[in-house]
Amino acid sequence: MATAAVQPGERETYLNRQYGIKSWLLTVDHKRIALLYLMGITFFFFIGGFFALLIRLELLTPAGDLVQADTYNKLFTMHGQVMVFFFLIPAVPAVLGNFLIPIMIGARDLAFPRINLLSWYLYMIGGVMMLYTIINGGVDTGWTFYTPLSTEFLNTHVITAGLAIFVAGFSSILTGLNFVVTTHRMRAPGMTWSRLPLFVWAHYATSIIQLLGTPVLAITLLLVVCERLFHLGIFNPALGGDPLLFQHLFWFYSHPAVYIMILPGMGIVSEIVCCFSRKRIFGYQAMALALLGIAVVGFLVWAHHMFVAGISLYAALIFSLLSYFVAVPSAIKVFNWTATMYNGSISYQTPMLYAFGFVGLFTIGGLTGLFLASLGIDVHVTDTYFVVAHFHYIMVGGMVMAYLGGMHFWWPKISGRMYPEGWGRLAALLVFVGFNLTFFPQFILGYMGMPRRYWDYSHSPEFQILNVLSTAGATILAVGYLLPMIYFLWSMRYGKPAPANPWNAAGLEWMVPSPPPTFNFDEEPVVTWEAYNYDEIKEEVPVAQ
Amino acid sequence: MANNVDALYIFLLTVSALMTISIFTMIIFFAIRFRKRAGHQAEQIQGSHALEITWSVIPFCVFMVFFGWGALLYFKERKPPQNSAEVYTVAKQWMWKFEHMEGQREINELHVPVGRDVKMIMTSQDVIHSFYVPAFRIKQDVLPGRYTVAWFHPTKPGTYHLFCAEYCGTSHSGMVGSVVVMEPKDYEAWMGGGGNQPLAVTGERLFSELGCVTCHRSDTQGRGPNLVGLFNKPVLLEDGRTVTADENYIRESILQPAAKVVNGYKPIMPTFQGQISDEQLNALVAYVKSLGQQPTGQTGGRSMATATPKTQ
């Protein structure tokens, strides 16, 4: 058994209460589980990033010369699968959500601490299966597993990859379940629904999608495995199946999955923008409703991935229309963040720089989504680099920016140490510049007609210049991502000790010490204030520089 | 078509750029104007219903223009004109096989005369591919087990890229070809004055070789329905449904005859699934379509030569 490790005179925190590997692997503390997730997620982020760099290097020249065609196909497949299922979907909820939701609502832990631990183990089992797949030679279905290519024509590790995602999916379902129950049942006295931080609302909306959508993906992947193993004719027309059925089922989950990735990011940005503008959020109700609206309408737009796939004219019409409906709440959010800054008292700490970046890049990602929702344009640009650029603006420009912003914002709370602000700002700048240089040229490439997933474009040397720019951007982006990794680790030992509330921020999480004690609150807090009551918060400490 | 798509694209680009610039300007302006400084206090604002409604309704109206314009364009993109020349296309890992109505076959190259509407009737032998000619702004996935259709109207002679746009395995990026648009007289020369058997004639030969003709007689005495004038007509089925006899219906009726049995007939036809190639199937479909073509030219497959040139 791990021994109590608090030194005399030292405050007991969730970090020093116990030491030893067992005290981590068997913990039911949501904060420790969040750190366990952080390690897994960081690991997979760099694996996925490594694949991305190889892809960019291959595309530096038109000819397929760095790797073999099959290898290239595996690289973009595993880049997608690792990033989507092992980084983007779990990252914010499982790390920041896990750590913060109980504290933000004034609870000692999540509703089901053991299920929370189970969900981490499921994530890791899925992760190990994915690693097994990678090490054993990989998989080249594309992250989308389109049939009948995946079920009949490839000789790679489709089954283990599918099952890895299947298992990780349960982790996602359980996390969602935990958050929904926690938000309903564990709020402290006075923490009414209308006082919840938008971060919690965002996770609530996300959890609903995880609960309702993920089982469909699980079933779909099982059907792929069944068709592959037992030649049941489900998706393969040669066996009497229907390949479009697969696409409907796959996108029924995988489109809402985009909102699983982005909604928690929106929650983070709302917290950061309010804090560094010293303001209430503009239109709290509209912001919360917009989150729910996106979650609900997001379930009704999936076939906009299939406008040229062979669906009927009228189905396409309906899905195009509904896609525009989901754009309205997204637009509201952008306008409200901007309005929140109006007449604020704005400072430019690293988290705020990421929030600026998020709003800008999400705007571009969202607007180019309107191009794709427009049927006549989608026919030309779907399955080209235009789509690649669009979804990277949402997922990397949006979600990853928000994740990094959130990590910087709450790092003092999580680790009890300040990160070096100068390095933080530099990294934020590098990420912003590197990102745009990587992905903006891809919009142009797409409209010029470069299809995605092309290993070799020697037939069209006119594509090269933009690809060179893109690869150059990717190297800058890589540096921007490595820096925080290094200085976060550095700060754990050498960073200045963080006060309880280094940003003078509103919210219960800033009223507990940094790092928080194991049970968060010595006594149950009673909430008597609205969220973002920045008018009531005196700036006691100068904001950490 | 390319011009129409570009017009909408430029419109979208302009509106989006205006939105982006106004948002970016506001953010940058606020960030500078309202930066933290001594003596300045943030003003607490709860929100404004009037503003919320304004910036929901105005974008929504703009979005509806995007939607409407895009939808109109899409209807045009998806509906081939009646008198299009037809090219049967079979995609496979990793090549494009084309067959003209005159019987010319091509691989990875498609020759068409300038000024004709060309309708691609496409199917795949294996996985999903996608027929993409960026210059014409058209793309259509090509599926195994059914036909999908795309069309274009080339206006300028030249050689244009043809890409497979749906990931299809190892040599996906090698599944490229070109569409060669020629002046009509060059096209005639390329055709070389015949020597090939027209697709419908190949189909007719198969129709008798495979024994189809014994049941599908051109009178009312056959055990199967008379196919003359069938194409594009409504067909009443055994279960009371009515379907249109399009290419996919004819294809399905050959491969899975029991799926849609015509009212008044018994499900006695054997399946030809796995017994004929996609090319043979195309020929049969072309033949059935050619049966009893109306003099108005409303039905049946047309070749490049007989398709009416469209006046611009």
Side-chain angles (χ1 to χ4, degrees), chain A residues 101 105 107 109-113 115 173-187 193 203-204 207-208 211:
Chain A
I101 286 174
I105 64 170
D109 206 315
L110 287 171
F112 306 114
I115 289 183
I173 294 172
L174 293 180
T175 302
L177 178 77
N178 225 334
F179 287 177
V180 168
V181 177
T182 304
T183 313
H184 273 275
R185 305 295 304 165
M186 310 281 285
R187 284 171 289 123
W193 286 93
H203 278 80
Y204 184 76
S207 301
I208 291 173
L211 272 176

PDB file of all heavy atoms in Angstrom, chain A residues 101 105 107 109-113 115 173-187 193 203-204 207-208 211:
ATOM      1  N   ILE A 101     -15.069  19.525 -14.045  1.00  0.00           N
ATOM      2  CA  ILE A 101     -16.532  19.550 -13.864  1.00  0.00           C
ATOM      3  C   ILE A 101     -16.933  19.385 -12.398  1.00  0.00           C
ATOM      4  O   ILE A 101     -17.706  20.182 -11.875  1.00  0.00           O
ATOM      5  CB  ILE A 101     -17.217  18.529 -14.789  1.00  0.00           C
ATOM      6  CG1 ILE A 101     -17.177  19.066 -16.208  1.00  0.00           C
ATOM      7  CG2 ILE A 101     -18.669  18.294 -14.375  1.00  0.00           C
ATOM      8  CD1 ILE A 101     -17.689  18.095 -17.242  1.00  0.00           C
ATOM      9  N   ILE A 105     -18.855  22.534 -10.282  1.00  0.00           N
ATOM     10  CA  ILE A 105     -20.227  22.483  -9.775  1.00  0.00           C
ATOM     11  C   ILE A 105     -20.242  22.266  -8.269  1.00  0.00           C
ATOM     12  O   ILE A 105     -21.305  22.101  -7.669  1.00  0.00           O
ATOM     13  CB  ILE A 105     -21.053  21.385 -10.479  1.00  0.00           C
ATOM     14  CG1 ILE A 105     -20.493  19.998 -10.188  1.00  0.00           C
ATOM     15  CG2 ILE A 105     -21.104  21.639 -11.981  1.00  0.00           C
ATOM     16  CD1 ILE A 105     -21.411  18.895 -10.652  1.00  0.00           C
ATOM     17  N   ALA A 107     -18.707  19.736  -6.420  1.00  0.00           N
ATOM     18  CA  ALA A 107     -18.837  18.353  -5.974  1.00  0.00           C
ATOM     19  C   ALA A 107     -17.469  17.794  -5.573  1.00  0.00           C
ATOM     20  O   ALA A 107     -16.431  18.347  -5.922  1.00  0.00           O
ATOM     21  CB  ALA A 107     -19.442  17.508  -7.083  1.00  0.00           C
ATOM     22  N   ASP A 109     -16.505  14.699  -6.373  1.00  0.00           N
ATOM     23  CA  ASP A 109     -16.005  13.839  -7.451  1.00  0.00           C
ATOM     24  C   ASP A 109     -17.119  13.706  -8.481  1.00  0.00           C
ATOM     25  O   ASP A 109     -18.187  14.290  -8.325  1.00  0.00           O
ATOM     26  CB  ASP A 109     -15.596  12.463  -6.918  1.00  0.00           C
ATOM     27  CG  ASP A 109     -14.531  11.807  -7.802  1.00  0.00           C
ATOM     28  OD1 ASP A 109     -14.691  11.835  -9.035  1.00  0.00           O
ATOM     29  OD2 ASP A 109     -13.527  11.297  -7.252  1.00  0.00           O
ATOM     30  N   LEU A 110     -16.879  12.907  -9.514  1.00  0.00           N
ATOM     31  CA  LEU A 110     -17.942  12.581 -10.451  1.00  0.00           C
ATOM     32  C   LEU A 110     -18.930  11.645  -9.773  1.00  0.00           C
ATOM     33  O   LEU A 110     -18.643  11.078  -8.703  1.00  0.00           O
ATOM     34  CB  LEU A 110     -17.365  11.915 -11.706  1.00  0.00           C
ATOM     35  CG  LEU A 110     -16.598  12.826 -12.666  1.00  0.00           C
ATOM     36  CD1 LEU A 110     -15.914  11.999 -13.741  1.00  0.00           C
ATOM     37  CD2 LEU A 110     -17.544  13.838 -13.318  1.00  0.00           C
ATOM     38  N   ALA A 111     -20.088  11.437 -10.413  1.00  0.00           N
ATOM     39  CA  ALA A 111     -21.116  10.591  -9.818  1.00  0.00           C
ATOM     40  C   ALA A 111     -20.626   9.150  -9.672  1.00  0.00           C
ATOM     41  O   ALA A 111     -20.951   8.473  -8.698  1.00  0.00           O
ATOM     42  CB  ALA A 111     -22.381  10.645 -10.665  1.00  0.00           C
ATOM     43  N   PHE A 112     -19.857   8.666 -10.642  1.00  0.00           N
ATOM     44  CA  PHE A 112     -19.409   7.265 -10.618  1.00  0.00           C
ATOM     45  C   PHE A 112     -17.888   7.220 -10.746  1.00  0.00           C
ATOM     46  O   PHE A 112     -17.351   6.992 -11.832  1.00  0.00           O
ATOM     47  CB  PHE A 112     -20.038   6.479 -11.765  1.00  0.00           C
ATOM     48  CG  PHE A 112     -21.525   6.564 -11.822  1.00  0.00           C
ATOM     49  CD1 PHE A 112     -22.149   7.187 -12.886  1.00  0.00           C
ATOM     50  CD2 PHE A 112     -22.318   6.019 -10.813  1.00  0.00           C
ATOM     51  CE1 PHE A 112     -23.533   7.273 -12.958  1.00  0.00           C
ATOM     52  CE2 PHE A 112     -23.698   6.102 -10.872  1.00  0.00           C
ATOM     53  CZ  PHE A 112     -24.303   6.723 -11.937  1.00  0.00           C
ATOM     54  N   PRO A 113     -17.176   7.396  -9.633  1.00  0.00           N
ATOM     55  CA  PRO A 113     -15.710   7.449  -9.707  1.00  0.00           C
ATOM     56  C   PRO A 113     -15.104   6.164 -10.265  1.00  0.00           C
ATOM     57  O   PRO A 113     -14.141   6.209 -11.040  1.00  0.00           O
ATOM     58  CB  PRO A 113     -15.284   7.652  -8.259  1.00  0.00           C
ATOM     59  CG  PRO A 113     -16.488   8.204  -7.573  1.00  0.00           C
ATOM     60  CD  PRO A 113     -17.670   7.645  -8.287  1.00  0.00           C
ATOM     61  N   ILE A 115     -16.513   3.985 -12.354  1.00  0.00           N
ATOM     62  CA  ILE A 115     -16.776   3.918 -13.797  1.00  0.00           C
ATOM     63  C   ILE A 115     -15.826   4.853 -14.532  1.00  0.00           C
ATOM     64  O   ILE A 115     -15.380   4.567 -15.649  1.00  0.00           O
ATOM     65  CB  ILE A 115     -18.253   4.256 -14.083  1.00  0.00           C
ATOM     66  CG1 ILE A 115     -19.136   3.112 -13.599  1.00  0.00           C
ATOM     67  CG2 ILE A 115     -18.486   4.513 -15.568  1.00  0.00           C
ATOM     68  CD1 ILE A 115     -20.602   3.277 -13.884  1.00  0.00           C
ATOM     69  N   ILE A 173     -18.549   6.573 -24.144  1.00  0.00           N
ATOM     70  CA  ILE A 173     -19.940   6.463 -23.670  1.00  0.00           C
ATOM     71  C   ILE A 173     -19.982   6.610 -22.152  1.00  0.00           C
ATOM     72  O   ILE A 173     -20.809   7.350 -21.607  1.00  0.00           O
ATOM     73  CB  ILE A 173     -20.548   5.105 -24.078  1.00  0.00           C
ATOM     74  CG1 ILE A 173     -20.673   5.017 -25.605  1.00  0.00           C
ATOM     75  CG2 ILE A 173     -21.916   4.901 -23.427  1.00  0.00           C
ATOM     76  CD1 ILE A 173     -21.078   3.651 -26.124  1.00  0.00           C
ATOM     77  N   LEU A 174     -19.081   5.918 -21.454  1.00  0.00           N
ATOM     78  CA  LEU A 174     -19.104   5.953 -19.989  1.00  0.00           C
ATOM     79  C   LEU A 174     -18.761   7.338 -19.459  1.00  0.00           C
ATOM     80  O   LEU A 174     -19.367   7.804 -18.482  1.00  0.00           O
ATOM     81  CB  LEU A 174     -18.134   4.912 -19.425  1.00  0.00           C
ATOM     82  CG  LEU A 174     -18.537   3.458 -19.680  1.00  0.00           C
ATOM     83  CD1 LEU A 174     -17.514   2.506 -19.097  1.00  0.00           C
ATOM     84  CD2 LEU A 174     -19.913   3.162 -19.118  1.00  0.00           C
ATOM     85  N   THR A 175     -17.819   8.003 -20.095  1.00  0.00           N
ATOM     86  CA  THR A 175     -17.502   9.371 -19.674  1.00  0.00           C
ATOM     87  C   THR A 175     -18.724  10.264 -19.845  1.00  0.00           C
ATOM     88  O   THR A 175     -19.073  11.051 -18.956  1.00  0.00           O
ATOM     89  CB  THR A 175     -16.322   9.925 -20.496  1.00  0.00           C
ATOM     90  OG1 THR A 175     -15.209   9.046 -20.318  1.00  0.00           O
ATOM     91  CG2 THR A 175     -15.930  11.319 -20.050  1.00  0.00           C
ATOM     92  N   GLY A 176     -19.396  10.127 -20.987  1.00  0.00           N
ATOM     93  CA  GLY A 176     -20.594  10.932 -21.230  1.00  0.00           C
ATOM     94  C   GLY A 176     -21.654  10.668 -20.175  1.00  0.00           C
ATOM     95  O   GLY A 176     -22.238  11.589 -19.605  1.00  0.00           O
ATOM     96  N   LEU A 177     -21.876   9.391 -19.898  1.00  0.00           N
ATOM     97  CA  LEU A 177     -22.864   8.996 -18.887  1.00  0.00           C
ATOM     98  C   LEU A 177     -22.529   9.628 -17.539  1.00  0.00           C
ATOM     99  O   LEU A 177     -23.390  10.201 -16.863  1.00  0.00           O
ATOM    100  CB  LEU A 177     -22.866   7.476 -18.766  1.00  0.00           C
ATOM    101  CG  LEU A 177     -23.797   6.871 -17.726  1.00  0.00           C
ATOM    102  CD1 LEU A 177     -25.217   6.880 -18.243  1.00  0.00           C
ATOM    103  CD2 LEU A 177     -23.368   5.454 -17.378  1.00  0.00           C
ATOM    104  N   ASN A 178     -21.270   9.535 -17.176  1.00  0.00           N
ATOM    105  CA  ASN A 178     -20.802  10.071 -15.903  1.00  0.00           C
ATOM    106  C   ASN A 178     -21.063  11.579 -15.817  1.00  0.00           C
ATOM    107  O   ASN A 178     -21.537  12.088 -14.793  1.00  0.00           O
ATOM    108  CB  ASN A 178     -19.309   9.792 -15.766  1.00  0.00           C
ATOM    109  CG  ASN A 178     -18.953   9.282 -14.387  1.00  0.00           C
ATOM    110  OD1 ASN A 178     -19.656   9.563 -13.412  1.00  0.00           O
ATOM    111  ND2 ASN A 178     -17.879   8.522 -14.290  1.00  0.00           N
ATOM    112  N   PHE A 179     -20.772  12.285 -16.899  1.00  0.00           N
ATOM    113  CA  PHE A 179     -20.944  13.749 -16.883  1.00  0.00           C
ATOM    114  C   PHE A 179     -22.428  14.128 -16.798  1.00  0.00           C
ATOM    115  O   PHE A 179     -22.793  15.073 -16.098  1.00  0.00           O
ATOM    116  CB  PHE A 179     -20.330  14.387 -18.138  1.00  0.00           C
ATOM    117  CG  PHE A 179     -18.823  14.413 -18.136  1.00  0.00           C
ATOM    118  CD1 PHE A 179     -18.121  14.905 -19.222  1.00  0.00           C
ATOM    119  CD2 PHE A 179     -18.098  13.946 -17.044  1.00  0.00           C
ATOM    120  CE1 PHE A 179     -16.735  14.937 -19.234  1.00  0.00           C
ATOM    121  CE2 PHE A 179     -16.709  13.975 -17.051  1.00  0.00           C
ATOM    122  CZ  PHE A 179     -16.027  14.465 -18.155  1.00  0.00           C
ATOM    123  N   VAL A 180     -23.268  13.395 -17.533  1.00  0.00           N
ATOM    124  CA  VAL A 180     -24.702  13.725 -17.514  1.00  0.00           C
ATOM    125  C   VAL A 180     -25.243  13.552 -16.094  1.00  0.00           C
ATOM    126  O   VAL A 180     -25.887  14.447 -15.542  1.00  0.00           O
ATOM    127  CB  VAL A 180     -25.485  12.836 -18.508  1.00  0.00           C
ATOM    128  CG1 VAL A 180     -26.985  12.980 -18.277  1.00  0.00           C
ATOM    129  CG2 VAL A 180     -25.151  13.227 -19.930  1.00  0.00           C
ATOM    130  N   VAL A 181     -24.947  12.401 -15.488  1.00  0.00           N
ATOM    131  CA  VAL A 181     -25.469  12.137 -14.145  1.00  0.00           C
ATOM    132  C   VAL A 181     -24.871  13.135 -13.153  1.00  0.00           C
ATOM    133  O   VAL A 181     -25.577  13.676 -12.296  1.00  0.00           O
ATOM    134  CB  VAL A 181     -25.166  10.689 -13.726  1.00  0.00           C
ATOM    135  CG1 VAL A 181     -25.650  10.436 -12.302  1.00  0.00           C
ATOM    136  CG2 VAL A 181     -25.829   9.720 -14.677  1.00  0.00           C
ATOM    137  N   THR A 182     -23.586  13.399 -13.288  1.00  0.00           N
ATOM    138  CA  THR A 182     -22.936  14.337 -12.364  1.00  0.00           C
ATOM    139  C   THR A 182     -23.576  15.724 -12.447  1.00  0.00           C
ATOM    140  O   THR A 182     -23.865  16.346 -11.424  1.00  0.00           O
ATOM    141  CB  THR A 182     -21.429  14.443 -12.691  1.00  0.00           C
ATOM    142  OG1 THR A 182     -20.869  13.128 -12.652  1.00  0.00           O
ATOM    143  CG2 THR A 182     -20.716  15.329 -11.696  1.00  0.00           C
ATOM    144  N   THR A 183     -23.803  16.170 -13.685  1.00  0.00           N
ATOM    145  CA  THR A 183     -24.381  17.506 -13.837  1.00  0.00           C
ATOM    146  C   THR A 183     -25.797  17.558 -13.265  1.00  0.00           C
ATOM    147  O   THR A 183     -26.217  18.556 -12.692  1.00  0.00           O
ATOM    148  CB  THR A 183     -24.392  17.914 -15.323  1.00  0.00           C
ATOM    149  OG1 THR A 183     -23.112  17.621 -15.880  1.00  0.00           O
ATOM    150  CG2 THR A 183     -24.672  19.391 -15.491  1.00  0.00           C
ATOM    151  N   HIS A 184     -26.528  16.480 -13.413  1.00  0.00           N
ATOM    152  CA  HIS A 184     -27.888  16.467 -12.873  1.00  0.00           C
ATOM    153  C   HIS A 184     -27.910  16.349 -11.354  1.00  0.00           C
ATOM    154  O   HIS A 184     -28.690  17.007 -10.680  1.00  0.00           O
ATOM    155  CB  HIS A 184     -28.690  15.298 -13.472  1.00  0.00           C
ATOM    156  CG  HIS A 184     -29.347  15.635 -14.772  1.00  0.00           C
ATOM    157  ND1 HIS A 184     -30.563  16.251 -14.862  1.00  0.00           N
ATOM    158  CD2 HIS A 184     -28.936  15.449 -16.043  1.00  0.00           C
ATOM    159  CE1 HIS A 184     -30.879  16.434 -16.132  1.00  0.00           C
ATOM    160  NE2 HIS A 184     -29.909  15.944 -16.876  1.00  0.00           N
ATOM    161  N   ARG A 185     -27.071  15.490 -10.817  1.00  0.00           N
ATOM    162  CA  ARG A 185     -27.251  15.072  -9.423  1.00  0.00           C
ATOM    163  C   ARG A 185     -26.265  15.682  -8.433  1.00  0.00           C
ATOM    164  O   ARG A 185     -26.509  15.638  -7.240  1.00  0.00           O
ATOM    165  CB  ARG A 185     -27.129  13.541  -9.326  1.00  0.00           C
ATOM    166  CG  ARG A 185     -28.043  12.771 -10.232  1.00  0.00           C
ATOM    167  CD  ARG A 185     -29.493  12.959  -9.882  1.00  0.00           C
ATOM    168  NE  ARG A 185     -29.766  12.612  -8.481  1.00  0.00           N
ATOM    169  CZ  ARG A 185     -30.863  12.945  -7.815  1.00  0.00           C
ATOM    170  NH1 ARG A 185     -31.793  13.658  -8.409  1.00  0.00           N
ATOM    171  NH2 ARG A 185     -31.024  12.581  -6.569  1.00  0.00           N
ATOM    172  N   MET A 186     -25.149  16.205  -8.866  1.00  0.00           N
ATOM    173  CA  MET A 186     -24.077  16.519  -7.919  1.00  0.00           C
ATOM    174  C   MET A 186     -23.842  18.015  -7.726  1.00  0.00           C
ATOM    175  O   MET A 186     -22.884  18.396  -7.078  1.00  0.00           O
ATOM    176  CB  MET A 186     -22.758  15.870  -8.398  1.00  0.00           C
ATOM    177  CG  MET A 186     -22.861  14.411  -8.748  1.00  0.00           C
ATOM    178  SD  MET A 186     -22.849  13.345  -7.307  1.00  0.00           S
ATOM    179  CE  MET A 186     -21.122  13.431  -6.874  1.00  0.00           C
ATOM    180  N   ARG A 187     -24.682  18.840  -8.301  1.00  0.00           N
ATOM    181  CA  ARG A 187     -24.456  20.283  -8.178  1.00  0.00           C
ATOM    182  C   ARG A 187     -24.623  20.722  -6.726  1.00  0.00           C
ATOM    183  O   ARG A 187     -25.527  20.275  -6.019  1.00  0.00           O
ATOM    184  CB  ARG A 187     -25.424  21.051  -9.089  1.00  0.00           C
ATOM    185  CG  ARG A 187     -25.018  21.006 -10.550  1.00  0.00           C
ATOM    186  CD  ARG A 187     -26.082  21.571 -11.465  1.00  0.00           C
ATOM    187  NE  ARG A 187     -27.235  20.669 -11.537  1.00  0.00           N
ATOM    188  CZ  ARG A 187     -28.480  21.019 -11.240  1.00  0.00           C
ATOM    189  NH1 ARG A 187     -28.745  22.259 -10.874  1.00  0.00           N
ATOM    190  NH2 ARG A 187     -29.451  20.144 -11.329  1.00  0.00           N
ATOM    191  N   TRP A 193     -29.101  25.458 -12.775  1.00  0.00           N
ATOM    192  CA  TRP A 193     -28.733  25.281 -14.188  1.00  0.00           C
ATOM    193  C   TRP A 193     -28.320  26.610 -14.802  1.00  0.00           C
ATOM    194  O   TRP A 193     -27.438  26.664 -15.646  1.00  0.00           O
ATOM    195  CB  TRP A 193     -29.898  24.682 -14.979  1.00  0.00           C
ATOM    196  CG  TRP A 193     -30.100  23.230 -14.695  1.00  0.00           C
ATOM    197  CD1 TRP A 193     -30.938  22.706 -13.751  1.00  0.00           C
ATOM    198  CD2 TRP A 193     -29.442  22.126 -15.314  1.00  0.00           C
ATOM    199  NE1 TRP A 193     -30.844  21.335 -13.762  1.00  0.00           N
ATOM    200  CE2 TRP A 193     -29.936  20.950 -14.714  1.00  0.00           C
ATOM    201  CE3 TRP A 193     -28.484  22.008 -16.328  1.00  0.00           C
ATOM    202  CZ2 TRP A 193     -29.516  19.685 -15.081  1.00  0.00           C
ATOM    203  CZ3 TRP A 193     -28.065  20.741 -16.700  1.00  0.00           C
ATOM    204  CH2 TRP A 193     -28.570  19.592 -16.074  1.00  0.00           C
ATOM    205  N   HIS A 203     -19.994  20.546 -21.891  1.00  0.00           N
ATOM    206  CA  HIS A 203     -19.755  19.124 -21.673  1.00  0.00           C
ATOM    207  C   HIS A 203     -21.060  18.353 -21.538  1.00  0.00           C
ATOM    208  O   HIS A 203     -21.135  17.180 -21.916  1.00  0.00           O
ATOM    209  CB  HIS A 203     -18.867  18.911 -20.448  1.00  0.00           C
ATOM    210  CG  HIS A 203     -17.421  19.096 -20.764  1.00  0.00           C
ATOM    211  ND1 HIS A 203     -16.838  20.330 -20.852  1.00  0.00           N
ATOM    212  CD2 HIS A 203     -16.444  18.192 -21.072  1.00  0.00           C
ATOM    213  CE1 HIS A 203     -15.561  20.186 -21.186  1.00  0.00           C
ATOM    214  NE2 HIS A 203     -15.303  18.904 -21.321  1.00  0.00           N
ATOM    215  N   TYR A 204     -22.072  19.014 -21.016  1.00  0.00           N
ATOM    216  CA  TYR A 204     -23.374  18.358 -20.924  1.00  0.00           C
ATOM    217  C   TYR A 204     -23.896  18.048 -22.327  1.00  0.00           C
ATOM    218  O   TYR A 204     -24.307  16.918 -22.621  1.00  0.00           O
ATOM    219  CB  TYR A 204     -24.340  19.266 -20.161  1.00  0.00           C
ATOM    220  CG  TYR A 204     -25.686  18.651 -19.927  1.00  0.00           C
ATOM    221  CD1 TYR A 204     -25.859  17.677 -18.951  1.00  0.00           C
ATOM    222  CD2 TYR A 204     -26.791  19.028 -20.686  1.00  0.00           C
ATOM    223  CE1 TYR A 204     -27.093  17.093 -18.740  1.00  0.00           C
ATOM    224  CE2 TYR A 204     -28.024  18.459 -20.479  1.00  0.00           C
ATOM    225  CZ  TYR A 204     -28.171  17.494 -19.505  1.00  0.00           C
ATOM    226  OH  TYR A 204     -29.392  16.902 -19.306  1.00  0.00           O
ATOM    227  N   SER A 207     -21.866  15.313 -23.865  1.00  0.00           N
ATOM    228  CA  SER A 207     -22.133  13.995 -23.302  1.00  0.00           C
ATOM    229  C   SER A 207     -23.371  13.362 -23.906  1.00  0.00           C
ATOM    230  O   SER A 207     -23.436  12.149 -24.113  1.00  0.00           O
ATOM    231  CB  SER A 207     -22.322  14.113 -21.790  1.00  0.00           C
ATOM    232  OG  SER A 207     -21.171  14.670 -21.214  1.00  0.00           O
ATOM    233  N   ILE A 208     -24.368  14.204 -24.211  1.00  0.00           N
ATOM    234  CA  ILE A 208     -25.584  13.667 -24.831  1.00  0.00           C
ATOM    235  C   ILE A 208     -25.230  13.044 -26.179  1.00  0.00           C
ATOM    236  O   ILE A 208     -25.685  11.954 -26.513  1.00  0.00           O
ATOM    237  CB  ILE A 208     -26.628  14.785 -24.978  1.00  0.00           C
ATOM    238  CG1 ILE A 208     -27.116  15.185 -23.583  1.00  0.00           C
ATOM    239  CG2 ILE A 208     -27.789  14.332 -25.837  1.00  0.00           C
ATOM    240  CD1 ILE A 208     -28.012  16.393 -23.577  1.00  0.00           C
ATOM    241  N   LEU A 211     -23.416   9.775 -25.654  1.00  0.00           N
ATOM    242  CA  LEU A 211     -24.309   8.697 -25.220  1.00  0.00           C
ATOM    243  C   LEU A 211     -25.152   8.172 -26.363  1.00  0.00           C
ATOM    244  O   LEU A 211     -25.343   6.970 -26.503  1.00  0.00           O
ATOM    245  CB  LEU A 211     -25.248   9.225 -24.126  1.00  0.00           C
ATOM    246  CG  LEU A 211     -24.740   9.141 -22.709  1.00  0.00           C
ATOM    247  CD1 LEU A 211     -25.734   9.800 -21.758  1.00  0.00           C
ATOM    248  CD2 LEU A 211     -24.573   7.670 -22.322  1.00  0.00           C
TER     249      LEU A 211
END
